[in-house]
Every structure is written in C-alpha cells, then in structure tokens.
Amino acid sequence: MNKLFYPKLALVNLKKNGNTYIPYILTCIGSIIAFYSIVSIQSNKGLDAMQGADSLKMLLFLGIIVIGIFAVIFLFYTNSFLIKRRKKELGLYSILGMEKKHIARVLFYETLFVTVVSLSLGLLGGILIGKLMFLILLNLAHIKSPLAFNIDWMSLFYTTVVFLGIFGLTLVTNFLQVKLSNPIDLLRGGEHGEKEPKSSWVMTLIGVVSLGIGYTIALTVKDPIEAILLFFVAVLFVIVGTYALFTSGSVTLLKALKKNKKFYYQSRNFISVSGMIYRMKQNAVGLANICILSTMVLVTITTTVSLYIGQESMRRDYYPMDISIIGDPESTNFSDIEQMVTAAKTKANIEMFDELSFDMSTFTAFQEGSHFLPDMEENTDLQYYNTISKITTIPLADYNRMTNQNKTLAENEVMIFSEGENYQESMVVFGESQFLVVEQLETIPMDFKKKLITGNGYYLIVKDQQIMTAIYNTMNENKEDNTPVISHALMFNLEGNEADINLFSDNMKTSINEINPAIKVGNIYESLAELYGIFGGFLFLGVFLGAMFMMATVLIIYFKQISEGYEDSGRFEIMQKVGMDKTEVKKTIGKQILMVFFLPLVGAIIHVAFAFPVITKMLAAFRLTNVWLILGCTLTVVVIYALVYTVVYLLTARSYYKMIH
C-alpha cells in the first residue's frame, strides 16, 4: 500500500468534516494563544521591578493553572463530540475491510495534522497577541515603566509540552474507543441517543434540594467572612442542582406534561413536548455546561470589573489620610521629622493640608457588649477578623487642639468615635477599669465613618496619657513585643501633580529611613500603585478567563446546533410525510431550538440573581461596599452577555437551518 495513503486519507477526512474540525482547530489555537500569553506574561522579569509584583504574579500563576485545567477538559469535550459524530464513518471503514490498526493510523495522521496546524498558528498568535495582552495588563495595572516584551523561549517550550500532552491523550482516547468497539457498535455510535429517555423523580428531587440549598446559602450569608467560607459550598450545590435538573428534571417535567392527556393530545403540544423530551435527553449535559459556563463568565467579569472601578473608594477606606507617619516618640525626635517633611514638600513643590499631630495608643481586642477582652493573637482564622476590634486611644488635650474645642473629661470618662455603626453601650470596660461614655462622636479629624462589615474600629478620647498607658497595659499584659505603649503620629493630605507627589513620597521615605527605619509610614499613593497592580491583575484575569469561558460557550452552542441539524434533518422529512408543511415544521422546530438554547442563559441569569447577595458580601471583604456600583456592573455585564449570546445563537442557527434543508 502506498505510504502516503493514510496521510492523504486523513487530509480528505479533515476536509470532508470541515464544519466540525475547523471550529475544533480554532478552539485549539485559541487555547494555545491564551496559555502561552499568560505564561509569558507571568515569567516576564520586568514585572519584578513594579510595586505589587508578587501579588500580580501569584494571580497570573493561578490563571495559568485554571487555563491549563480548562484547556484539558474543554479539548477532551470537543474531541469526544468529534469522534462521536464520526463513529459511523469509522465503522464503515471497518465494514469495507480496514483493520483497527489501519483506522488507528488514519486517526494518528489526523491528530498529527491538527496538532501541527494548531501549535504553529497558536504559538505564532500567542507571540503576536501576547504582546497586546501584555500592553493591556500594563495599562490596567497603571504600570508606566517601559517593560519589554520579548519572545520567551521557555514559555514556548512549556506551552508546546502541555498541548502535545493534551493532543496525545485525546489520540489515546480515540484509539481506545476504536479498539473497544466492534464495527456494528461504531455504525450505531451516533444513534445511541434515540432511545426513549427515562425520567427520575429521585434525581429531580436531588436537583431541587441541591439548588435550594445553594440559593439559601447565598441569600442568608450575613458577613464577608461567612460569604468567603460558604461561597464555594454554595457553588458546588448549585452545580449539582443544575446538572440534575437539566438531565432529569426537565425530562420529568415534560413526561408529566405528556401524561396529561388533555394537554398532550393537541397537535401543537404533542409535537413540541415529544420533541423537547428528545432534545433534553440528547443535550441536557451540554446545556448544563453552557449554563454553568455562562454563570462563571457573568460572575467572573462582574466581580473583577466592580473591583477595578471601585478601587478608588476602597483605597480611601484603607487610608483616611494621604500620609501617616507613626513612631515611638522616645526614640525619635518628631521635630526633625516635621522639618524634613517641610523641606521635602518645598523641594517637590506640593501643598500639605489637614495637618495633624497627636499622641496615640493602639491595640486590638475582642468585644463582648461593653467588655473588651485581650487579643491572644493565636486564633487568627477567618472568623477572627469578624470579631476583632481595633482600638485607638487619644489624650483629650490633643483632641481639643486638633478640633479647636475645650472639652473636659474625668478619669473614668471617655468620648468614643466608631468607624462603623455607633457604639451602643453606655460603658467601656477594660479588665477591672470601667469608663462612662459621655459623648458619641460623629466625626474625628483623622478618620471617617465607613460601612464596615467585619470587626470594628473605635477611637477613645481619654483624660490623659496615664489613662492610655493603664488601658494598654491591661489589654497587653501577657504580650512580649517592642511595640511602644504611646506613639506619636503625623498625618496630612497632599495636593499637587502626580509626578511631584511621587517625588515627595520618594524623598520622604528615604529621609525617614535615615532618621529611624522603625517609623511606620502609610502612603496612599504608594499603596495605590500596589492596588492597581492587584485589581488590574484581577480585571485582566477576569476578562481573560471570561473570554475563554465565552469561547467554550460559543463552541458548545455551535456543536449543539450542528448536532441538532444532523438529527433534525431526518425528523424534518418524517414530519412532512405525516402531513405538516415546511412552514409548520420549521416553526415547530425553531421554537424548540429557541427554548432549548435560551434555557441555559435564563438559568445563568437566575443563578447570578441569587448569587448577588453573596457576591456583594465577598466584595465587602475588599472594602468595596458600594452595592449600587456592583449592581450596575452586574446588569451591564448581563445585558452585554445576553446580546453576545443572542448574536452567537443567530449565527450558529444559520448553519442549523442549512443542514435541515
């Protein structure tokens, strides 16, 4: 036999099955581009020089794992569809005299051609598109340094190895399917789904209960910590419920309608119900996949867009004042610090305002009503952050000076400012010391009211430093650290252009380190660069993964339309033979197709609606508490996704209608 027989036959097969293999090859190319792009960005050494590089690189590394796993699952899924569609063709080869080893050679050359084309175009596309992705990431992360993007040979190598492994495994899977099947099974392989589907009330009940549990968890979470702990539990229940209801619940409902003779034996309902039963049997798992993927796209893009847009308000929650300089007054002359700050301000040509200078003592404690208990710092699980309070005491003299007031306090009296909801008790108790709350402050110079979901923060104005020291010692008697009991703080806001402020920040940081490296400096502008890196990375990954999930959704819809087209072409003829005209048949099938393919979108939107409370609670853990912003992002993403989904449906439906005609 001619040595080129099998390669030529493989090429003919690929060409003949072009309507399914071209989308498959495009999917492979897209997956390779995505994988190479993110691997090359993550390994770019230029990222190491930027602020927040560790967080961003960790996010990108997680993205590599997610995309790698996703590529394996998705390429196996699409390969299984292709081989299922071709079983009859492979069975025919066997009937015509080809042995299984000859069929295996054909499959080998087909996989080889697909691999060569996919890897060549995928890696080339990765090099070209990867640079665009890199520039987008730099823009989202507000990185202005000219980081170079080069062809990363190690990334090319890793990508090649990973996808050679995936293609190799799919080839082995195809070999096994041919080896374990006889020619008759292969010839009938594409028709196994013709059997009457069975309904299962048990599976339906499991689906309803699972979905109910998932929704209940999402609706009843009370705080961000609980939301983070229970989110993935709720997701698992929703996934189980979705698959159970799509695979069994839909058939059970349709069969219940079928048993209703008055409803079923009407011409329109008879055809619609019987057709839908068949479609759900054939497509339930695929439709559940589309529903889950669509939900993932909506949730991923909604959360990352919300975080990116809301980061300006989030950073102000973290840093009420632009600059804070806090240190031990016993070891540092703060007059030198103030002179240095003034010199740096003049040199950078910026303005300072809201300048504050005061003594403070800070510690953490567990609150039980009016009693505050020492923080043992041993139990630091997630629940710890839900129950801990940060307390800052300030002497009355400093408070009066900063607010231009002349208030008085007895030794056992305090004024209190709560960052969150107002303090509800009349007393504050630390150990054996009790203090009467004489005034609930609504404002304080160095901070403001916030919508806190976890823990709380209190500022206590006490009579003098002796009271501050006594309270601190009571709450920290078992601790052995070098934290000063009384610290001094300088805080102020800045005004000027970005370059001048960055120059001031650099000069100030250098000078303070020279004076005393132990001094803590909080700088909203430096933190902003890190936040941009983190949330820009979040958004980049969110959109990147969202695009991957969208690509998977589009391909599944396409393959389902093709699959429906093959199966409906025969049914179309039968319906015409029993007396229905073309218009009626097309209208009936069109309605079924429309309902089947928009069911996952409706399911995804319902999932997102129930998930909204838990999403808002989770984002609150990042100090994003603007529910209207999150709602706006969610609605926008849902509308855009629904439009894209509709366009994809209309485009793929054209292929379907061509096939049934």
Side-chain angles (χ1 to χ4, degrees):
M1 189 175 289
N2 190 328
K3 289 182 180 179
L4 295 178
F5 173 77
Y6 295 111
K8 284 182 179 177
L9 184 58
L11 281 174
V12 170
N13 289 342
L14 292 177
K15 187 176 179 182
K16 187 174 64 180
N17 293 287
N19 62 342
T20 52
Y21 267 94
I22 290 175
Y24 174 64
I25 292 172
L26 290 176
T27 304
C28 296
I29 293 171
S31 301
I32 293 168
I33 289 173
F35 191 83
Y36 170 79
S37 298
I38 201 159
V39 170
S40 61
I41 292 172
Q42 199 272 343
S43 59
N44 191 306
K45 297 189 183 303
L47 287 181
D48 295 333
M50 61 166 277
Q51 289 181 324
D54 292 340
S55 304
L56 181 57
K57 295 190 84 167
M58 177 57 72
L59 283 173
L60 293 172
F61 180 72
L62 293 175
I64 292 171
I65 295 175
V66 172
I67 291 174
I69 294 173
F70 180 78
V72 172
I73 295 173
F74 189 58
L75 293 186
F76 263 84
Y77 173 83
T78 49
N79 176 71
S80 68
F81 171 84
L82 295 178
I83 204 68
K84 182 183 175 185
R85 298 297 332 155
R86 296 191 56 204
K87 278 187 175 178
K88 187 177 290 185
E89 174 190 336
L90 299 178
L92 190 59
Y93 285 148
S94 197
I95 295 294
L96 293 175
M98 287 181 72
E99 297 178 24
K100 289 183 178 180
K101 63 180 181 181
H102 299 139
I103 297 175
R105 285 185 189 178
V106 176
L107 292 176
F108 168 78
Y109 281 110
E110 289 176 3
T111 305
L112 179 64
F113 293 142
V114 170
T115 303
V116 170
V117 172
S118 300
L119 273 177
S120 302
L121 296 180
L123 293 177
L124 181 62
I127 293 170
L128 297 175
I129 297 176
K131 186 169 185 178
L132 175 63
M133 296 292 105
F134 188 66
L135 293 174
I136 291 173
L137 175 62
L138 295 185
N139 187 265
L140 290 174
H142 289 229
I143 302 171
K144 295 182 178 176
S145 58
L147 299 182
F149 181 84
N150 301 314
I151 298 175
D152 187 340
W153 296 106
M154 285 308 294
S155 300
L156 290 173
F157 174 74
Y158 291 143
T159 307
T160 303
V161 169
V162 168
F163 280 88
L164 280 178
I166 295 174
F167 288 124
L169 288 174
T170 57
L171 179 61
V172 171
T173 305
N174 294 343
F175 282 166
L176 288 176
Q177 291 203 40
V178 172
K179 182 177 177 59
L180 299 176
S181 303
N182 59 50
I184 303 301
D185 289 338
L186 289 172
L187 281 172
R188 292 178 176 175
E191 299 173 355
H192 284 168
E194 296 291 344
K195 294 178 182 177
E196 175 76 7
K198 294 180 180 179
S199 60
S200 169
W201 283 102
V202 175
M203 189 60 73
T204 303
L205 187 62
I206 290 174
V208 171
V209 171
S210 297
L211 210 57
I213 293 174
Y215 285 170
T216 302
I217 291 174
L219 292 175
T220 56
V221 291
K222 296 175 182 175
D223 53 64
I225 302 302
E226 196 175 58
I228 292 171
L229 290 172
L230 296 178
F231 177 73
F232 290 104
V233 177
V235 167
L236 288 177
F237 275 109
V238 170
I239 289 175
V240 171
T242 301
Y243 279 104
L245 287 180
F246 268 97
T247 54
S248 184
S250 57
V251 175
T252 302
L253 175 65
L254 291 166
K255 284 212 163 187
L257 292 174
K258 189 177 178 180
K259 288 180 180 176
N260 185 338
K261 298 187 184 308
K262 285 186 178 177
F263 175 85
Y264 184 65
Y265 288 108
Q266 295 179 22
S267 61
R268 184 178 300 173
N269 295 338
F270 175 82
I271 295 171
S272 297
V273 171
S274 58
M276 286 291 289
I277 289 175
Y278 174 79
R279 289 182 195 286
M280 293 311 297
K281 169 66 179 177
Q282 295 296 307
N283 301 301
V285 174
L287 295 174
N289 286 335
I290 295 174
C291 182
I292 298 297
L293 283 171
S294 297
T295 307
M296 290 168 71
V297 172
L298 295 174
V299 171
T300 304
I301 296 182
T302 294
T303 52
T304 51
V305 169
S306 299
L307 281 171
Y308 191 76
I309 295 176
Q311 61 184 321
E312 291 289 334
S313 62
M314 292 155 60
R315 66 166 179 145
R316 187 49 78 184
D317 264 19
Y318 284 112
Y319 296 90
M321 302 290 288
D322 289 357
I323 305 291
S324 63
I325 304 169
I326 300 172
D328 183 2
E330 299 292 330
S331 59
T332 304
N333 186 343
F334 269 80
S335 296
D336 292 342
I337 298 287
E338 291 181 16
Q339 290 176 8
M340 178 275 299
V341 168
T342 302
K345 177 197 75 171
T346 305
K347 188 175 181 181
N349 193 29
I350 61 168
E351 295 296 327
M352 292 167 46
F353 59 100
D354 298 334
E355 298 175 50
L356 303 174
S357 174
F358 58 96
D359 289 332
M360 59 183 283
S361 179
T362 301
F363 57 89
T364 54
F366 291 107
Q367 181 180 0
E368 291 184 2
S370 61
H371 287 69
F372 287 86
L373 308 175
D375 173 16
M376 302 306 292
E377 293 187 354
E378 293 177 355
N379 181 20
T380 54
D381 57 14
L382 286 177
Q383 198 58 33
Y384 167 86
Y385 299 100
N386 212 22
T387 54
I388 201 70
S389 294
K390 180 183 176 184
I391 296 172
T392 303
T393 57
I394 297 172
L396 177 65
D398 286 358
Y399 174 79
N400 280 336
R401 176 172 47 78
M402 289 187 288
T403 57
N404 294 319
Q405 298 184 76
N406 191 27
K407 297 194 175 186
T408 58
L409 289 173
E411 289 190 351
N412 65 339
E413 292 178 338
V414 297
M415 294 186 291
I416 188 167
F417 172 82
S418 172
E419 291 181 23
E421 295 181 357
N422 281 348
Y423 185 70
Q424 300 297 319
E425 309 293 334
S426 60
M427 302 289 292
V428 178
V429 181
F430 299 106
E432 301 296 326
S433 303
Q434 299 185 9
F435 297 89
L436 178 66
V437 178
V438 297
E439 185 175 350
Q440 187 85 235
L441 299 174
E442 294 300 325
T443 61
I444 200 161
M446 69 289 296
D447 211 335
F448 54 84
K449 287 279 187 184
K450 303 163 190 168
K451 190 175 181 180
L452 293 180
I453 309 292
T454 58
N456 208 339
Y458 297 111
Y459 289 85
L460 295 183
I461 311 302
V462 300
K463 185 173 186 296
D464 52 35
Q465 288 193 2
Q466 287 185 325
I467 304 294
M468 292 167 62
T469 303
I471 292 174
Y472 184 89
N473 289 335
T474 299
M475 301 303 292
N476 296 276
E477 59 183 0
N478 295 323
K479 290 184 181 177
E480 295 180 359
D481 58 32
N482 297 321
T483 305
V485 176
I486 305 291
S487 299
H488 190 76
L490 295 176
M491 297 183 180
F492 47 87
N493 292 320
L494 298 175
E495 187 174 273
N497 64 51
E498 187 177 347
D500 292 338
I501 288 176
N502 288 335
L503 175 63
F504 168 81
S505 298
D506 292 340
N507 292 339
M508 182 187 70
K509 187 176 181 179
T510 304
S511 300
I512 288 179
N513 278 333
E514 291 173 354
I515 294 172
N516 185 352
I519 292 177
K520 296 178 182 176
V521 179
N523 186 330
I524 195 171
Y525 298 99
E526 286 188 354
S527 72
L528 185 59
E530 186 158 351
L531 286 177
Y532 277 137
I534 294 172
F535 294 122
F538 267 135
L539 180 61
F540 177 79
L541 264 186
V543 174
F544 202 85
L545 293 177
M548 286 283 293
F549 297 149
M550 173 66 87
M551 180 184 72
T553 306
V554 169
L555 200 70
I556 292 174
I557 291 175
Y558 175 79
F559 281 144
K560 301 209 76 57
Q561 294 281 35
I562 296 297
S563 177
E564 295 271 332
Y566 277 120
E567 288 152 12
D568 283 345
S569 57
R571 200 180 314 160
F572 188 83
E573 292 178 8
I574 294 172
M575 292 169 85
Q576 284 184 286
K577 288 177 182 175
V578 297
M580 295 182 71
D581 60 43
K582 285 187 178 181
T583 307
E584 282 182 311
V585 173
K586 187 176 178 182
K587 196 173 177 182
T588 303
I589 292 179
K591 277 185 181 177
Q592 293 173 20
I593 292 288
L594 197 68
M595 288 177 63
V596 166
F597 281 93
F598 277 89
L599 203 58
L601 179 62
V602 173
I605 292 173
I606 293 173
H607 287 344
V608 172
F610 277 96
F612 187 76
V614 74
I615 290 173
T616 56
K617 296 287 190 311
M618 287 178 65
L619 292 179
F622 294 92
R623 298 285 182 94
L624 180 57
T625 55
N626 189 340
V627 176
W628 290 108
L629 184 147
I630 301 170
L631 180 62
C633 291
T634 304
L635 292 176
T636 304
V637 171
V638 167
V639 169
I640 292 174
Y641 185 78
L643 290 174
V644 173
Y645 191 96
T646 304
V647 170
V648 170
Y649 166 76
L650 292 175
L651 290 175
T652 55
R654 292 176 61 185
S655 302
Y656 165 81
Y657 285 118
K658 283 181 183 175
M659 296 184 75
I660 66 170
H661 286 291

